[in-house]
Amino acid sequence: MGGASLCDSLVAACMSSASHSSVERLTQFDTRSSSIWPRRSRLVNNCSLHGSQASSRNNNASSSLFESNNTSFNPKQRRFNRASTSGQVTTLEMEKDAMVNKPRRVVVTGMGVETPLGHDPHTFYDNLLQGKSGISHIESFDCSAFPTRIAGEIKSFSTDGLVAPKLSKRMDKFMLYLLTAGKKALEDGGVTGDVMAEFDKSRCGVLIGSAMGGMKVFYDALEALKISYRKMNPFCVPFATTNMGSAMLALDLGWMGPNYSISTACATGNFCILNAANHITRGEADVMLCGGSDSVIIPIGLGGFVACRALSENNDDPTKASRPWDSNRDGFVMGEGAGVLLLEELEHAKKRGATIYAEFLGGSFTCDAYHITEPRPDGAGVILAIEKALAHAGISKEDINYVNAHATSTPAGDLKEYHALSHCFGQNPELRVNSTKSMIGHLLGASGAVEAVATVQAIKTGWVHPNINLENPDKAVDTKLLVGLKKERLDIKAALSNSFGFGGQNSSIIFAPYK
């Protein structure tokens, strides 16, 4: 579908689903105010684009269905627009300078989460340190006919002040989690309206992915189609695609830099974080919001993973169901949520006086090239990902003394990762390894991003969270490397976070204290 036809469709949807005179548009950041939160803005020209006006707007690539953000661009942004119009794209010059100057360092200056254990990084990590479990019986639908009836389900969630009410009703939860976590990361990073006004929005980007996308929106559309196509949500196609979350957040912020999503199953979050950091190091951006979001605790999502025989069936005691490396593990527990990091180029962050939580050193991706769902028996793909991540970060294996493992609580997966970690770091007596999934379950495409938040929080606080439910460790595991049932103090030198996904997708990313 072309851009013009999509715009026409959305305009038509606005006119058919709202009053004849108006439609509520997506809330936007008002960069002229002192608050980063969106305000309810003016309606879109009564959603009526007549004659040549409509044609002109459809043919203007820089226009938006929800109005142009040009009026709130800062002077630097206006200069960029003028330069672009005249063919003098100054961003290219800045990128060229970055290629010949000293390497650009990337730091973490903000974090946002939506999880079963909290809706901000501090509450989330405090609960992890206390060993609390976010696994419970599913309440959002009747799952009594399923062999698995538990999940890391978010019981309460609010978009108040962050997303327009009408869009909140139409959007899939994966998009709502993404939008709210993204805006919370900006707030956590001290990006107020005044700070935002100083950003060059052509050098700010969004890269937040999803493994599953808008499954609920698409499923509802299929159900409506059984009656008639006229019953279908006019937004079902755009709101089901994985890229639309990043696109809507960028539209909301007016950010015109790199914008897309990556979908690499349960490795999605890590892929997005590393690619976002690469945009900064290459000089293509100064600021990036990055991470992952997923929400598929719905009948088709639960049923699909049950059919894969991947889920735990420990329904009698949900908090004990997710038990990485324990001999009684019987599969992973689904979770939902989002994690978003605010990454900045170091000098950009220092100039605005941002608090720096950690430095992103590097990472890597590999493919097992072995099986759709099973890990490679020799662990070669995981080992290669770790070794390449160390090389990219410019550090040695002795520098890593903390690993936030993928460890989902599956019989084969946990052991293969453990053996790879032991191979790479087993001689380091300081090494501590844990799995955040023991408490929140497996958040699919969001897992790597949420675990990156946990990793940065470990660096900030000097505490690593426990591995709960590790009561009868697998005989093939040396518990000397694993964090116990209680939190532990650790002065982290460098931390590695792993994420793997269906299709043999392997990813490792590395953070360290900023010095």
Side-chain angles (χ1 to χ4, degrees), residues 76-122:
K76 184 183 292 185
Q77 181 63 57
R78 287 195 293 271
R79 287 197 298 274
F80 170 80
N81 287 344
R82 287 196 295 270
S84 298
T85 303
S86 63
Q88 302 169 3
V89 185
T90 57
T91 297
L92 296 179
E93 297 174 6
M94 298 171 76
E95 292 174 12
K96 184 177 179 181
D97 289 342
M99 297 293 288
V100 298
N101 292 332
K102 64 181 181 179
R104 288 159 56 91
R105 297 169 65 182
V106 180
V107 292
V108 181
T109 56
M111 298 178 286
V113 295
E114 298 292 353
T115 77
L117 281 181
H119 303 285
D120 67 85
H122 313 292

Side-chain angles (χ1 to χ4, degrees), residues 21-60:
S21 61
S22 64
V23 63
E24 194 166 284
R25 53 166 291 215
L26 175 71
T27 55
Q28 282 184 313
F29 276 170
D30 181 4
T31 57
R32 293 164 291 183
S33 71
S34 60
S35 169
I36 74 163
W37 303 125
R39 59 181 174 81
R40 188 176 301 245
S41 49
R42 292 188 302 274
L43 305 178
V44 188
N45 293 331
N46 295 333
C47 205
S48 55
L49 303 178
H50 301 293
S52 60
Q53 279 187 313
S55 175
S56 174
R57 293 191 100 176
N58 287 341
N59 291 327
N60 185 349

Side-chain angles (χ1 to χ4, degrees), residues 211 264-270 305 406 442 444-448 499-502 507:
T264 48
C266 303
T268 293
N270 276 12
F305 282 108
H406 180 66
H442 192 354
L444 308 178
S447 59
S499 285
F500 315 129
F502 283 179
S507 61

Side-chain angles (χ1 to χ4, degrees), residues 251-481:
L251 187 156
D252 206 1
L253 304 176
W255 286 13
M256 299 174 65
N259 185 279
Y260 56 102
S261 70
I262 295 172
S263 184
T264 48
C266 303
T268 293
N270 276 12
F271 271 70
C272 291
I273 291 168
L274 177 52
N275 277 278
N278 287 341
H279 283 299
I280 295 175
T281 58
R282 291 197 300 260
E284 297 161 357
D286 296 323
V287 182
M288 293 291 298
L289 283 169
C290 55
S293 180
D294 258 320
S295 178
V296 292
I297 304 176
I298 56 176
I300 191 172
L302 181 63
F305 282 108
V306 165
C308 287
R309 300 179 181 178
L311 300 182
S312 169
E313 297 181 8
N314 189 357
N315 300 303
D316 294 335
D317 195 350
T319 63
K320 298 288 187 180
S322 187
R323 40 195 323 114
W325 301 297
D326 190 82
S327 59
N328 294 318
R329 66 191 184 279
D330 67 334
F332 75 82
V333 178
M334 288 177 63
E336 64 178 345
V340 177
L341 296 181
L342 176 63
L343 299 184
E344 286 189 67
E345 190 273 326
L346 175 60
E347 297 306 318
H348 186 279
K350 289 167 63 176
K351 183 177 180 180
R352 73 177 184 88
T355 299
I356 297 174
Y357 296 143
E359 182 169 2
F360 180 83
L361 297 186
S364 180
F365 317 129
T366 64
C367 179
D368 274 352
Y370 171 74
H371 191 271
I372 297 174
T373 59
E374 292 297 316
R376 192 180 181 97
D378 59 7
V382 173
I383 292 170
L384 182 60
I386 293 171
E387 291 177 343
K388 289 176 66 177
L390 292 170
H392 185 232
I395 63 175
S396 68
K397 62 183 180 181
E398 289 77 20
D399 293 319
I400 300 289
N401 64 341
Y402 170 56
V403 175
N404 188 298
H406 180 66
T408 63
S409 192
T410 57
D414 287 11
L415 287 186
K416 298 308 177 186
E417 181 182 16
Y418 173 82
H419 291 150
L421 293 174
S422 181
H423 172 86
C424 294
F425 308 111
Q427 302 305 311
N428 184 351
E430 297 181 1
L431 182 68
R432 310 305 290 149
V433 180
N434 62 12
S435 172
T436 305
K437 294 181 182 72
S438 65
M439 286 173 272
I440 62 173
H442 192 354
L443 275 58
L444 308 178
S447 59
V450 170
E451 288 156 19
V453 171
T455 302
V456 173
Q457 287 287 65
I459 291 172
K460 278 181 56 186
T461 64
W463 288 96
V464 292
H465 69 70
N467 287 303
I468 71 168
N469 301 325
L470 186 58
E471 298 162 349
N472 298 294
D474 192 294
K475 292 180 180 179
V477 172
D478 183 355
T479 56
K480 291 180 181 179
L481 301 182

